[in-house]
Amino acid sequence: MSCFVIVGYEARRLVRDRALPVLLSLLLGFGGYAAWNGADWVQKREAAIALIKAEEQERIAFGRRFVETQLVVPGLLAALPPGVMAPVSMGQADNYPFNADVSALGDYTMLFERVWSDIGSPAVRAAGRFDLAFVIVFLLPLVILAAAYDLWSGERERGIAAMVLSQPVAIGPLIAVKALTRGLVVLFPATAIVLAVAAWAGAREPLGLAALALAVILYGAFWLVIAVVINLVTRRSTEAAIAAGAIWLLVVVMAPSLTLTAVDLVAPAPSEMGFATELKARKAEITERQRLDREANPAPARSPAPTIPERLRALYADRVALDNEIAPMIAAHQQAKRARRDALDAVRFFLPSVAVQDALDRIAGSDADRALAFEDQARAAQLELRHLYKSHLDRDALLTPAEYDNAPRFQLRGTGGAFQSGVLADLATLFIANLLILIAARCLRGQAATP
């Protein structure tokens, strides 16, 4: 029996199956809605950023009116724009601030002030939105399993397996060709649907689409190989369907949830609200102590009077002292968050569903690493403005209009790409998972020889 005969038989059988068009239509419908939802989120985020940029320009224009009479360093309203592939996955974008109020005399608590006032449920935000990544991670496996769960068990039930095995044919290559045919007929159209709705939503970067296609194919192949293993060890299609559903529930739903619970026990997430409350209380205590100290020890009058008032020097010194005092508290909180994040990053190498979700987040630019890079760069921009302010305090000189116009502006730098190292690691995880299950299938192929 030639491979072409097997391929033709499997292809005709799937094409005649009325379930396949229904499954692909459902995938198209859910994918289209998810892509629209992602595009809508991107549009709203870009509209919010446009308002932030307009406010920044108003601030800069207002401050310029006082350049020649006061020490004015232009403040910045930094923003984290959506990535070029953002409609694919909203990921963790809602869990991190996307704007920062950067000013020379601001402190850490003022940099991301929106975070301290946010009392929304982190559990609700962590649940995420219905985006294309959700369709890929949760629904695509169901389509693959529905099309391949009876790959060999159906042949056993109809008695075709016994007839085939009576011929001089190797069982391993036979099932491999059947699986590859079903993959071509189901997985590639599903990948095309995902790419089409992603491009329709605005995610049209060639490299991003290539990375998305590779992630979908590797993840779909993982479930196709799972279906092969199921068919090797089950005798009836009913058993295969139950086993496929149980494995989907375990791999996609239960394993990530149980792993998250284990990570919470090993490296619990620090309370953001508790940290914000404690930090605000500490800040109020330091500010009050500084005020009392200034009242008890007023700065001596200088003659002649400096160009820049002494109160601004005192304010600058207080801000620096405040940052230095709260720095250990901030560092401890960030260390706790980093420990948890490192544990979660390690988990993805053992869970294919988590690995593909992480890959999609990184491809879309909605991952935690990009958000944290934005926070670090916003803090660096604040320190740069503060150094500029300090240099003019030391020289007792106001900014000239030219210096004001040429003051540093925030520009997000180097936040990865479609094939960044994290994406490659996730794709490698999916590839290794496929390889391991293929090895298991090879070891179990002898069971398929019993009709």
Side-chain angles (χ1 to χ4, degrees), residues 78-366:
L80 175 63
V84 292
M85 296 290 292
V88 170
S89 175
M90 286 164 260
Q92 304 174 65
D94 287 335
N95 293 327
Y96 293 90
F98 71 96
N99 65 300
D101 191 348
V102 183
S103 60
L105 295 180
D107 58 58
Y108 182 88
T109 62
M110 297 170 62
L111 187 57
F112 304 106
E113 191 170 0
R114 185 188 69 83
V115 177
W116 314 128
S117 61
D118 182 9
I119 58 174
S121 170
V124 173
R125 293 198 303 269
R129 302 170 185 262
F130 189 88
D131 53 15
L132 196 54
F134 177 87
V135 173
I136 294 170
V137 174
F138 284 83
L139 302 186
L140 177 64
L142 295 177
V143 173
I144 302 295
L145 292 174
Y149 78 95
D150 61 345
L151 178 71
W152 186 243
S153 60
E155 312 285 36
R156 281 171 163 165
E157 284 186 330
R158 291 191 294 271
I160 298 176
M163 181 180 64
V164 171
L165 292 175
S166 65
Q167 305 296 319
V169 60
I171 189 65
L174 171 65
I175 294 181
V177 171
K178 288 169 67 68
L180 287 174
T181 303
R182 297 205 180 195
L184 288 173
V185 176
V186 179
L187 180 55
F188 281 89
T191 304
I193 288 173
V194 169
L195 295 179
V197 296
W200 169 75
R204 300 188 182 97
E205 185 195 33
L207 282 178
L209 290 174
L212 174 61
L214 190 55
V216 172
I217 290 173
L218 285 174
Y219 188 58
F222 168 80
W223 288 102
L224 187 63
V225 179
I226 287 288
V228 170
V229 172
I230 291 172
N231 277 267
L232 292 177
V233 298
T234 56
R235 296 290 182 272
R236 295 179 176 84
S237 296
T238 303
E239 297 174 357
I242 294 174
I247 292 176
W248 176 86
L249 186 65
L250 175 64
V251 174
V252 176
V253 180
M254 293 183 62
S257 299
L258 293 175
T259 303
L260 181 60
T261 302
V263 171
D264 285 336
L265 294 175
V266 176
S271 171
E272 293 292 345
M273 186 170 294
F275 171 66
T277 303
E278 185 181 358
L279 191 60
K280 284 183 176 180
R282 180 64 174 155
K283 177 185 172 183
E285 174 191 342
I286 296 171
T287 302
E288 178 63 15
R289 188 177 72 241
Q290 289 175 342
R291 185 186 67 81
L292 295 176
D293 183 67
R294 293 295 177 192
E295 290 180 355
N297 304 285
R302 295 172 58 182
S303 181
T307 303
I308 301 174
E310 285 297 327
R311 61 180 178 80
L312 293 182
R313 291 182 172 81
L315 178 60
Y316 176 85
D318 287 345
R319 290 300 190 200
V320 173
L322 174 65
D323 273 4
N324 290 337
E325 289 202 47
I326 64 176
M329 182 186 303
I330 295 170
H333 181 74
Q334 291 180 337
Q335 177 60 35
K337 291 170 61 176
R338 189 179 302 110
R340 174 182 168 79
R341 191 168 61 252
D342 291 344
L344 291 174
D345 280 345
V347 162
R348 78 183 199 268
F349 297 117
F350 303 95
L351 298 173
S353 58
V354 177
V356 73
Q357 177 70 64
D358 184 74
L360 295 173
D361 288 349
R362 292 176 185 275
I363 292 169
S366 58

Side-chain angles (χ1 to χ4, degrees), residues 51-53 55-56 59 75-79 99-102 410:
L51 292 176
I52 291 171
K53 290 299 181 183
E55 182 183 349
E56 180 186 39
R59 284 192 186 186
L76 306 174
L77 289 177
N99 65 300
D101 191 348
V102 183
F410 182 82

Side-chain angles (χ1 to χ4, degrees), residues 375-390:
E375 293 186 20
D376 291 340
Q377 292 181 32
R379 177 59 174 164
Q382 184 182 58
L383 294 177
E384 188 176 3
L385 289 182
R386 184 171 289 182
H387 291 155
L388 176 63
Y389 195 93
K390 177 64 164 57

